[in-house]
Amino acid sequence: MNGRRVGADFRVVARSYFRNPIALFFSLIFPIILIGLFGLIFSNAGGGAVTLPVVNADPGCPFDPVTHNTTTYCQEFLAALNSTHVVKVDVVSMPVAAFASWLGQKDYTVGLVIPPGFGENYTNRLPANVTVYSNPQDAASSGTVFGAVQGVVNGFNLRAAGGTAFLGFRTSNIGSPVYTYIDYLIPGLIGFSILTSPMFSMVDITSSYRKEGIFRQLSLTPLTRSEWLISRVLWYIALTFVTAGIMLGAGIELFGAHVTFTLGLLPFLVVGSFFFVSLGMLAGSIAKTPESAALIGNIITFPMMFLSGTFFQVSSMPPGLQEFAHLLPLYYVIDGMNQVLLFSNTTQALYDLAIVLVGSLIVFALAVRFFRWRDE
Amino acid sequence: MPTAIEVRGLVKRYGPLAAVDGIDFDVPTGTVFAFLGPNGAGKTTTTEILEGLRRRTEGSVRVLGLDPWSDGTALHRRIGVIPQDFRFFEKITPKEAVEYYRALFGTDVDPGKLLAQVELLDKVSARFDTLSGGQKQKLGLALALTNDPEICFLDEPTTGLDPHARRAIWAVIRALRREGRTVFLTTHYLEEAEILADHVAIIHHGRVIAAGTPNEIIRAHGRPARLRVEGSPELAAYLHATLGLTAFAEGGRIDVELGSARDALRVLNAIESSGLPWSAFETAQDTLEDVFVRLVGQMDDGALKSEAPT
Ligand SMILES: Nc1ncnc2c1ncn2[C@@H]1O[C@H](COP(=O)(O)OP(=O)(O)OP(=O)(O)O)[C@@H](O)[C@H]1O
Ligand SMILES: [Mg+2]
């Protein structure tokens, strides 16, 4: 191992990278796009309230959404729904008969109808049924609305019966302080780029450099295969530091994530890059042609890209898939980052780190073993 | 004279094909050796075996006293190579490439000077993927020289170069020889081999069909020197009758085969004393190219005949 040679090769890698706009886009801009995209798509599932269109068919109590004036029971009912903070009432005026198709047209998956005579019946302790519209495909919103309406209905019934509530509950999220989807998304997406940026380009480079004779050219110099691989590992570690910084920055500044940077993150960036650079080179080395290399690379990369806790928490997946996820190296990288960034669970993090480190050493050794500068 | 490269009974088989089929040659230190042969003759295969890039099937090979395949690491510090199809990192400039090699070899060449020597100064800061074929070739030569090599292996270094650039490469090769380095060269330009090489080997179907200095090869395989004069068939008959030399007449020209340089004077005297009309004369000799074409052609005819159904 010679530092001067590794340094010289590192400079060549860095220059090639900075002069390639597509590579730059994928490592510097793409992470922000990803975090923005997933942050926007899934932010509802975490913190925000579900919008609930309501048709108030009880002429006895018009609702003023601006002043939130609660002088009648149906206004009180809607205000109580709003104060759950999980739904946000949006009163629309239209015939009840047209409501269902209107919801469909506007892509709402939930809706509520207050029936005629709701206020009067409640005053006189007579039955009155509100109707909840839902779309089974959006189980999350339906569940939220069912729960909220059920809770408010129970409260009204209890009050009408003159009772007092003595069982109650408070809410709290897992971890500390309060984490939302975006907080889990940040370690997931950092893991995503630790995986994808070295895998795609190392597989490609390893097979095409061999085809173009660039490896043969390098074999005529004192540069060794390990030095060549180490300089790529160093480059991808540097790149991952930048990408992780961008993700943390964008997550915190643009999407109000609660994670804070800790030094414990760095070993995962280092060892994770080490692992996937070596794996990419191994895949590129065992393939005979650039085409089959790309295929092998994709077969390795795609399952890991989705099933290791990148976009979705592994704990929310079906049990069979969870077991599969535990076979994927990226799972341990992302889980470890979750442990240090969110849960401060050092023991679990060290366990994850040890697994990735041992895996890296094995894959590195295999990559150097299978990687050939010259033909037989 | 010490030997830089020594090849004995070298064979390289790709499956059933013997690309190199038992060749022997020596390259003395400090000389230029040109390896010639038609496409697919086995030149690149041999060259790559000597460079330690390819494993031989049989035979023994010594380059600077080392086995190129098993002592590759030691050998590569002492040789410079331009592969036939030289490629490099696309986004890197010639100056950066030379600096890269300089750091890898730990030498202290001046990139500017080296690139000036191969006439690439105007492109020092152009990215490799924007260089022309000839400019890439020149960069390959510059890289082959960064480690101050004892032997330079140049596989078709001038293919695709314009005549001016080719002469620039010739100048570099001559300079290398003056500096006491050994040059192993393959080329399809026979006149280049004739001008530059101390020794030449012609290889065909993996076998050496002629070897020696260019003059030795021409003498051994070329037709006799000829004196050509413009004149009538009667003059040809007169020359043949008086001198006993073979003389062909065709289209107003006469070719008289010369046994020696002295014969030329006898022919000119006989022409003068014949009293027959004549004009412009010249002497003609086979070039290495004539010999090459004849030798390769003869072998291919032979091969075709022996394969033809009877
Ligand atoms: N890797 C390989 N596998 C199989 N056959 C090969 C391989 N490399 C070369 N050959 C064959 O070996 C023979 C010699 O090839 P080589 O490249 O040495 O020729 P060459 O003399 O350099 O020709 P050219 O003047 O066209 O460069 C050819 O018939 C070629 O098809
Ligand atoms: Mg060749």
Side-chain angles (χ1 to χ4, degrees), chain A residues 34-104:
Chain A
L34 268 187
I35 206 162
L37 204 62
F38 280 88
L40 286 177
I41 294 176
F42 290 107
S43 55
N44 270 348
V50 176
T51 301
L52 178 64
V54 174
V55 169
N56 187 354
D58 185 3
C61 52
F63 177 75
D64 181 352
V66 179
T67 60
H68 287 236
N69 210 342
T70 56
T71 51
T72 65
Y73 288 122
C74 53
Q75 287 160 354
E76 247 181 73
F77 186 86
L78 294 179
L81 273 178
N82 263 336
S83 66
T84 61
H85 296 298
V86 296
V87 298
K88 187 168 157 297
V89 166
D90 179 17
V91 176
V92 294
S93 52
M94 69 175 60
V96 174
F99 189 44
S101 63
W102 178 85
L103 286 174

Side-chain angles (χ1 to χ4, degrees), chain A residues 2 16 22 27 75 81 142 147 150 177 184 194 236 272 285 356-357:
Chain A
N2 174 304
S16 302
I22 296 176
S27 44
Q75 287 160 354
L81 273 178
S142 317
Q150 188 73 54
Y184 293 103
I194 290 180
Y236 280 102
S285 302
V356 185
L357 184 62

Side-chain angles (χ1 to χ4, degrees), chain A residues 30-199:
Chain A
F30 193 56
I32 302 182
I33 295 181
L34 268 187
I35 206 162
L37 204 62
F38 280 88
L40 286 177
I41 294 176
F42 290 107
S43 55
N44 270 348
V50 176
T51 301
L52 178 64
V54 174
V55 169
N56 187 354
D58 185 3
C61 52
F63 177 75
D64 181 352
V66 179
T67 60
H68 287 236
N69 210 342
T70 56
T71 51
T72 65
Y73 288 122
C74 53
Q75 287 160 354
E76 247 181 73
F77 186 86
L78 294 179
L81 273 178
N82 263 336
S83 66
T84 61
H85 296 298
V86 296
V87 298
K88 187 168 157 297
V89 166
D90 179 17
V91 176
V92 294
S93 52
M94 69 175 60
V96 174
F99 189 44
S101 63
W102 178 85
L103 286 174
Q105 275 166 22
K106 296 280 176 187
D107 277 340
Y108 283 112
T109 54
V110 287
L112 180 76
V113 172
I114 307 276
F118 175 85
E120 198 182 326
N121 283 15
Y122 184 70
T123 314
N124 299 323
R125 306 292 184 262
L126 290 172
N129 286 322
V130 297
T131 310
V132 176
Y133 291 78
S134 70
N135 181 338
Q137 279 171 7
D138 185 2
S141 301
S142 317
T144 307
V145 171
F146 288 160
V149 172
Q150 188 73 54
V152 172
V153 165
N154 284 345
F156 267 58
N157 285 339
L158 190 66
R159 197 172 68 181
T164 324
F166 48 90
L167 265 186
F169 67 91
R170 283 177 297 129
T171 61
S172 177
N173 281 30
I174 314 295
S176 70
V178 182
Y179 290 118
T180 57
Y181 178 74
I182 190 84
D183 297 304
Y184 293 103
L185 189 62
I186 289 173
L189 289 186
I190 292 176
F192 176 84
S193 70
I194 290 180
L195 166 75
T196 52
S197 65
M199 275 303 279

Side-chain angles (χ1 to χ4, degrees), chain A residues 327-358:
Chain A
L327 299 175
L328 304 174
L330 185 61
Y331 166 79
Y332 295 95
V333 177
I334 293 176
D335 187 64
M337 289 192 289
N338 275 323
Q339 300 298 342
V340 293
L341 281 181
L342 303 183
F343 309 130
S344 311
N345 184 344
T346 316
T347 319
Q348 182 64 31
L350 283 176
Y351 169 75
D352 290 331
L353 189 65
I355 290 182
V356 185
L357 184 62
V358 170

Side-chain angles (χ1 to χ4, degrees), chain A residues 2 4-6 8-13 15-16 19-21 209 212-214 216-223 228 232 374-376, chain B residues 12 48 51-55 68-69 72 76-77 81 83 85-93 96 100-101 103-106 127 143:
Chain A
N2 174 304
R4 186 192 65 237
R5 293 199 293 264
V6 173
D9 194 54
F10 183 87
R11 274 199 300 282
V12 166
V13 184
R15 280 180 175 137
S16 302
R19 291 170 191 176
N20 182 348
Y209 279 12
E212 291 171 13
I214 289 181
R216 255 187 343 168
Q217 188 69 30
L218 292 178
S219 80
L220 296 164
T221 73
L223 187 71
W228 188 82
R232 315 277 137 165
R374 50 187 194 180
D375 308 327
E376 286 294 300
Chain B
K12 173 67 183 183
E48 289 186 351
E51 294 159 353
L53 289 176
R54 231 168 246 287
R55 193 174 201 156
W69 183 258
H76 292 157
R77 292 185 170 275
V81 168
D85 182 19
F86 171 71
R87 299 276 285 273
F88 207 66
F89 302 107
E90 288 184 353
K91 305 288 177 195
I92 297 300
T93 69
E96 292 162 351
Y100 178 52
Y101 264 51
L104 293 185
F105 282 104
R127 294 178 187 175
L143 292 184

